[in-house]
Amino acid sequence: MTTGQHTEPELGPEDAPLPSIAEQMADQLGGWRGLVESSIPVVVFVIANVVGDLRPAVIASVAVTLLIAGLRLAQRRPVRHAVNGLFGIAIGAAIAWRTGDERDFYLPGILYGIGYGLALLLSAAIRQPLVGWIWSVLVAKGRSEWRDDPRLVRTFTQLTVLWGVVWLAKVGVQAGLYLAHQDTALGVARLALGYPPYALLLLITVWVVRRVTREPAPEPLPGA
């Protein structure tokens, strides 16, 4: 029996609208709390290393990272960013502890940055832009329809080149300071060139992709 009322069709998961720019930024950066928490261990290491010795600085940075991860677990908050931070801090701390050279605390991050930047540029060169695939996983719920849209393929390729160039530029600064034995400046550069460029790249990426997807596709030429 019909009631005469119009029922809106339910949207399936594939039809759900994309999150807003602010929501996507907050998710990838972990919000303001995630930004602060990910920076605290490095700040602790830099300060402790300036006023004291290497080993107390390593112990302090690892202890703070474990404390942050423990608090997140106790509050039943997502621990993805805390675990990532713990992994990076632990590797750098272990290398610095073994070699006795405070610069080596930053070495894993430098090597990772070089590898990531080169991988981005390589993926763009072979027309498999890494930013596009990351977008599929993190934003588009696993969908990869962008591969069938030449505009989006071109957009993601250009964005991937941008990410690769910026990533290699910022890691190049850190590598130069590492080779010059500028330990304190290296710590400051690690903080200044960490989340700020990352946040800016994310903002540009989300804005550009959303703008392209909202533009109507060009009409094919007659007889084409």
Side-chain angles (χ1 to χ4, degrees):
M1 178 176 179
T2 59
T3 60
Q5 295 180 348
H6 176 68
T7 303
E8 293 292 337
E10 294 184 2
L11 293 177
E14 67 278 2
D15 299 317
L18 291 176
S20 67
I21 292 179
E23 290 171 337
Q24 293 177 43
M25 291 285 291
D27 178 68
Q28 295 308 309
L29 296 175
W32 286 110
R33 176 171 175 170
L35 288 173
V36 173
E37 289 179 349
S38 63
S39 302
I40 288 177
V42 180
V43 172
V44 168
F45 178 85
V46 172
I47 295 175
N49 192 55
V50 169
V51 302
D53 295 326
L54 171 62
R55 290 196 173 187
V58 169
I59 293 172
S61 62
V62 172
V64 168
T65 306
L66 289 172
L67 177 62
I68 291 173
L71 286 174
R72 277 192 166 267
L73 284 172
Q75 297 171 354
R76 297 184 178 180
R77 292 178 175 270
V79 295
R80 172 164 56 98
H81 296 87
V83 170
N84 291 341
L86 175 61
F87 184 72
I89 292 294
I91 293 178
I95 295 176
W97 187 288
R98 183 183 182 93
T99 63
D101 191 338
E102 60 198 60
R103 296 180 306 148
D104 292 336
F105 179 82
Y106 308 101
L107 184 58
I110 293 174
L111 296 178
Y112 167 79
I114 293 173
Y116 187 53
L118 292 176
L120 285 163
L121 295 181
L122 177 61
S123 71
I126 63 175
R127 304 291 289 175
Q128 293 289 335
L130 189 56
V131 171
W133 291 113
I134 294 175
W135 179 275
S136 294
V137 173
L138 298 181
V139 179
K141 303 177 182 179
R143 291 175 290 160
S144 57
E145 288 87 348
W146 61 270
R147 291 294 305 168
D148 301 321
D149 187 337
R151 297 178 305 157
L152 283 175
V153 173
R154 183 169 57 253
T155 297
F156 279 125
T157 300
Q158 294 169 346
L159 287 169
T160 300
V161 171
L162 174 64
W163 275 76
V165 170
V166 171
W167 218 263
L168 289 177
K170 74 172 190 172
V171 78
V173 172
Q174 296 178 58
L177 293 172
Y178 176 87
L179 295 174
H181 293 261
Q182 299 294 322
D183 305 326
T184 302
L186 178 57
V188 174
R190 164 75 177 269
L191 295 172
L193 298 177
Y195 270 111
Y198 182 50
L200 181 59
L201 286 171
L202 272 177
L203 181 61
I204 292 172
T205 299
V206 174
W207 180 78
V208 169
V209 174
R210 290 174 68 90
R211 180 178 179 182
V212 171
T213 54
R214 286 173 178 172
E215 292 178 350
E219 294 291 337
L221 294 176

